[in-house]
Amino acid sequence: MITRETGSKFKFMSYTISIHGGAGTILRTELSPEKEEAYTNGLKMALQGGEDVLAAGGTALDAVTVAVSLLEDNPLFNAGKGSVFTNSGRHEMDASIMEGKALRAGAVAGITGVKNPVQLARLVMENTEHVLLSGAGAEELAQMFNLPFEAPDYFFDTFRHNQWLAVKDTSGTIMDHSGEKKFGTVGAVARDEQGNLAAATSTGGMTNKRYNRIGDTPIIGSGTYANNATCAISSTGHGEYFIRGVVAYDISCLMEYKGLSLREACEKVVLQKLVALGGEGGLIAVDASGNTELIFNSDGMYRASVKSGSKPLIAIYR
Ligand code: ASP
């Protein structure tokens, strides 16, 4: 916690970070105590990693990169190592990142083998003149900058493979996380002590998705958005609806043009507009003052949040 003098007043400069590990039909009755503990620990570790960056005076951008990388390394979450299978039995990952000061953004879509897709999205933002790179071109950039790659067996997980085998001969797709409606994806939003906002999101997409299908995660304005003047958002849910609803940018617009608070804007978009469209899922959000929302219209969402000087919140169910 830091206080800085601004003029004659002391201004309280605080940081905050929130993360999610996907939303969906996550029911207490379906999660064993051991699994619940494993998810809770995974969230706790990733939140701590991000908070350590902010507590040391680091940037929101670094904090969300670290938190999302830790979630990508945890096979419980559908991103990086834990990515789900496409209809051709492969892994295709999407990720994006944005910072709210200069509205810079980077994203990758349909990439394979890259250990931490969020780091590649950041590379696109910081080292190219582009925002969104896909497939082989994105992977080549990762090689040029020596980002770590992993062999297919690193991404193999029996649970995910069984999820895929159950639907592979159908035309259906399933989201991650139990029951019929399964959403995966990981994300983080943060506000640092300088008042800068950032957001990052990463996913393996949907089990049995048509190969080369791209969801909302790498779409700036749908899966991820950050603007210091309004908010930072990371979404999870049925991506097609989040793209159609331009969900993250819609929340920012409601704040900017209609003067809604973060809470009012999130409720309008997630609990009303998305529901009317038929889109299930949720998102995490932080505004310029550090107010935080963890909101979803599904049964649950793996989520965690902490503000400087307070105890972390970790939750799964409604
Ligand atoms: N939004 C992601 C997608 O549609 C999936 C998810 O959040 O689980 O690719």
Side-chain angles (χ1 to χ4, degrees):
M1 234 189 284
I2 291 181
T3 51
R4 290 208 182 91
E5 207 176 1
T6 47
S8 57
K9 286 192 217 133
F10 277 100
K11 196 170 172 218
F12 177 65
M13 302 297 280
S14 61
Y15 65 74
T16 172
I17 179 163
S18 301
I19 61 172
H20 70 76
T25 313
I26 309 167
L27 301 171
R28 204 181 291 271
T29 46
E30 285 183 14
L31 217 57
S32 67
E34 296 74 33
K35 267 228 145 161
E36 186 178 307
E37 196 187 338
Y39 276 108
T40 302
N41 285 339
L43 289 169
K44 208 182 272 176
M45 264 183 57
L47 189 73
Q48 187 66 60
E51 188 185 1
D52 287 349
V53 172
L54 295 170
T59 64
L61 193 60
D62 282 343
V64 297
T65 308
V66 167
V68 169
S69 297
L70 287 165
L71 291 164
E72 286 175 339
D73 292 343
N74 186 333
L76 288 175
F77 300 105
N78 171 22
K81 182 168 171 56
S83 291
V84 297
F85 288 81
T86 66
N87 70 349
S88 57
R90 298 174 73 239
H91 302 283
E92 291 177 8
M93 301 174 286
D94 303 332
S96 63
I97 191 161
M98 184 162 184
E99 57 89 16
K101 190 176 179 189
L103 306 184
R104 290 182 309 149
V108 289
I111 59 165
T112 300
V114 176
K115 181 168 180 276
N116 291 110
V118 70
Q119 293 173 22
L120 184 53
R122 184 157 172 186
L123 244 161
V124 172
M125 176 176 94
E126 292 179 333
N127 294 284
T128 77
E129 54 188 283
H130 308 301
V131 169
L132 174 55
L133 285 188
S134 72
E139 290 156 18
E140 195 179 295
L141 184 79
Q143 278 157 1
M144 277 165 59
F145 283 86
N146 294 319
L147 277 193
F149 275 75
E150 295 288 350
D153 62 339
Y154 170 84
F155 297 94
F156 184 90
D157 180 82
T158 310
F159 173 70
R160 299 265 183 253
H161 195 242
N162 289 340
Q163 276 184 328
W164 175 56
L165 291 180
V167 287
K168 120 179 173 11
D169 295 324
T170 72
S171 59
T173 52
I174 53 170
M175 301 289 189
D176 198 31
H177 299 321
S178 78
E180 266 171 58
K181 295 278 178 60
K182 306 178 178 198
F183 304 89
T185 298
V186 305
V189 296
R191 175 196 186 276
D192 60 32
E193 287 177 339
Q194 281 70 46
N196 290 314
L197 304 184
T201 314
S202 180
T203 192
M206 294 157 65
T207 293
N208 209 37
K209 67 183 178 183
R210 206 176 172 82
Y211 77 93
N212 287 3
R213 174 263 189 190
I214 293 168
D216 61 315
T217 300
I219 308 297
I220 297 301
S222 292
T224 300
Y225 190 70
N227 182 342
N228 280 2
T230 53
C231 58
I233 310 270
S234 170
S235 314
T236 174
H238 198 146
E240 280 70 9
Y241 295 92
F242 281 70
I243 294 174
R244 289 164 55 196
V246 202
V247 162
Y249 188 59
D250 198 19
I251 291 174
S252 174
C253 286
L254 286 169
M255 295 176 72
E256 185 172 0
Y257 303 132
K258 275 200 121 182
L260 264 56
S261 69
L262 183 71
R263 172 160 300 171
E264 288 166 344
C266 287
E267 286 180 353
K268 174 114 193 127
V269 171
V270 178
L271 305 184
Q272 293 177 30
K273 295 178 80 174
L274 256 180
V275 171
L277 207 58
E280 191 179 339
L283 54 86
I284 53 175
V286 62
D287 71 12
S289 317
N291 297 308
T292 296
E293 294 296 327
L294 315 171
I295 185 167
F296 49 98
N297 62 33
S298 47
D299 290 315
M301 180 167 81
Y302 295 102
R303 59 199 187 278
S305 182
V306 67
K307 277 188 202 322
S308 43
S310 10
K311 276 191 24 195
L313 164 108
I314 298 179
I316 299 176
Y317 314 106
R318 187 172 278 285

